Amino acid sequence: MKRHTTLLACGAMLAILLTGCATEKTMSQSTENDSAPAGSAAEPVKTEQTDVTETDTFIPQGDKYIALTFDDGPTGNEGGCTERLLDGLKERNAHATFFLCGYRVKDFNSMMDRYLAEGHEIGNHTTDHIRLDIDTADGGLEQISSNQEYIAAYTGEAPTLMRPVGGAYNDAVLASMKQLGLPVILWNVDTLDWKYHDDADIVRQRIIDNAADGVIVLEHDLYEATVDGVLAAIDELQQQGYAFVTVSELAQLKGVTLEPGKVYTGFTSKDVVVDHGSNFS
């Protein structure tokens, strides 16, 4: 009898303890839910991710902004300049705009799935890298439209910007780009990497010396020195508060709506939008 009474007492005490734990857990959950805004669920617990398959595509934040652009690519497949550049940009959370040539995409297309996934922008730089103002009778309509389709076949999206070879355009080119719905993007900082393609420090220094909020920088992802110089410049300028964004992101940040058939050299206070005429004789 005494043993039976003792067992009953232990059972009652255990029930009280379990009830207390349940009550404490319920109160804790209620407190957490009360901290959420009315009409919303409590915020889910965020777990640390160690293997991210998609790069954050939000616009990089800084005090000042620069758009890096690269013409004439892609270059090489695995282990080539474009892959090295994409790897370096990803490590630095820097976005860029790549103006691609169709004939090079044909030979070097192993990186095509990375551009958009990693927050970059693709522009059209003609199918065959020819001067649209003097080497076409249709203002580049065929050269650009065929490359639109070719790039879209690899990326799922057609470019929304174009850059004429050599920056050369005339009224016919602008009319064709307006018909295709494409703004014409030039630049206001030239690294001259085509000339100093063996000297990474010159490329780096020209970017540093001409850095300003709203500039568009011209480079070519054709040369190892360009990749080295650009990445070194990014490291230095990020310490000064610069963030590196695509052309469209830069336009958005500066409150500019890019319009088809109009020419943009940059988005600093000194830049002028051209909507007709030619900058070449």
Side-chain angles (χ1 to χ4, degrees):
M1 184 68 178
K2 183 176 181 181
R3 181 181 179 185
H4 179 67
T5 303
T6 301
L7 289 173
L8 287 175
C10 290
M13 183 175 294
L14 180 60
I16 292 171
L17 290 173
L18 290 173
T19 301
C21 291
T23 301
E24 182 179 354
K25 181 178 181 182
T26 301
M27 290 178 64
S28 175
Q29 290 175 337
S30 176
T31 301
E32 291 172 0
N33 288 331
D34 286 345
S35 65
S40 68
E43 183 178 355
V45 176
K46 296 179 180 179
T47 57
E48 183 178 354
Q49 295 181 342
T50 57
D51 183 19
V52 180
T53 57
E54 289 190 8
T55 298
D56 183 3
T57 56
F58 291 113
I59 298 177
Q61 296 299 300
D63 300 321
K64 296 164 285 187
Y65 296 91
I66 289 175
L68 298 174
T69 65
F70 298 89
D71 288 7
D72 298 353
T75 298
N77 287 305
E78 287 77 7
C81 285
T82 299
E83 183 180 49
R84 281 192 59 226
L85 179 58
L86 288 172
D87 289 346
L89 294 173
K90 184 175 182 180
E91 291 172 3
R92 292 160 174 80
N93 188 32
H95 294 175
T97 301
F98 293 82
F99 290 96
L100 307 184
C101 292
Y103 81 99
R104 294 190 67 84
V105 172
K106 179 181 179 180
D107 293 331
F108 309 115
N109 49 58
S110 63
M111 300 295 113
M112 294 297 287
D113 60 342
R114 292 188 57 179
Y115 292 113
L116 299 180
E118 295 178 8
H120 305 300
E121 182 172 39
I122 296 177
N124 192 322
H125 199 46
T126 76
T127 298
D128 299 307
H129 198 264
I130 61 175
R131 280 274 297 263
L132 300 181
D133 59 330
I134 59 177
D135 293 329
T136 67
D138 60 359
L141 199 62
E142 175 60 28
Q143 276 285 313
I144 297 300
S145 60
S146 61
N147 200 27
Q148 290 286 94
E149 296 175 1
Y150 197 58
I151 291 173
Y154 280 98
T155 65
E157 295 183 24
T160 56
L161 309 173
M162 72 82 63
R163 173 172 285 165
V165 173
Y169 63 89
N170 55 19
D171 289 343
V173 172
L174 296 183
S176 292
M177 295 312 106
K178 185 174 182 179
Q179 180 179 337
L180 292 173
L182 297 172
V184 178
I185 308 300
L186 301 186
W187 59 88
N188 49 9
V189 175
D190 188 350
T191 59
L192 301 178
D193 61 338
W194 56 270
K195 182 177 182 181
Y196 302 106
H197 54 78
D198 292 326
D199 196 327
D201 192 58
I202 289 180
V203 174
R204 180 195 66 82
Q205 197 61 51
R206 288 191 63 82
I207 297 173
I208 298 296
D209 290 345
N210 294 282
D213 186 32
V215 300
I216 298 175
V217 183
L218 169 65
E219 301 108 347
H220 303 78
D221 52 328
L222 302 176
Y223 317 111
E224 296 290 347
T226 295
V227 176
D228 294 336
V230 166
L231 296 180
I234 292 174
D235 290 339
E236 189 168 337
L237 289 173
Q238 282 181 333
Q239 295 298 315
Q240 299 179 25
Y242 281 95
F244 294 86
V245 296
T246 68
V247 169
S248 292
E249 289 171 342
L250 185 59
Q252 178 184 335
L253 287 163
K254 299 305 179 183
V256 176
T257 299
L258 297 175
E259 299 181 34
K262 288 193 175 183
V263 181
Y264 301 84
T265 59
F267 303 100
T268 71
S269 59
K270 298 179 180 179
D271 292 317
V272 178
V273 175
V274 181
D275 60 6
H276 65 279
S278 172
N279 63 341
F280 283 81
S281 59

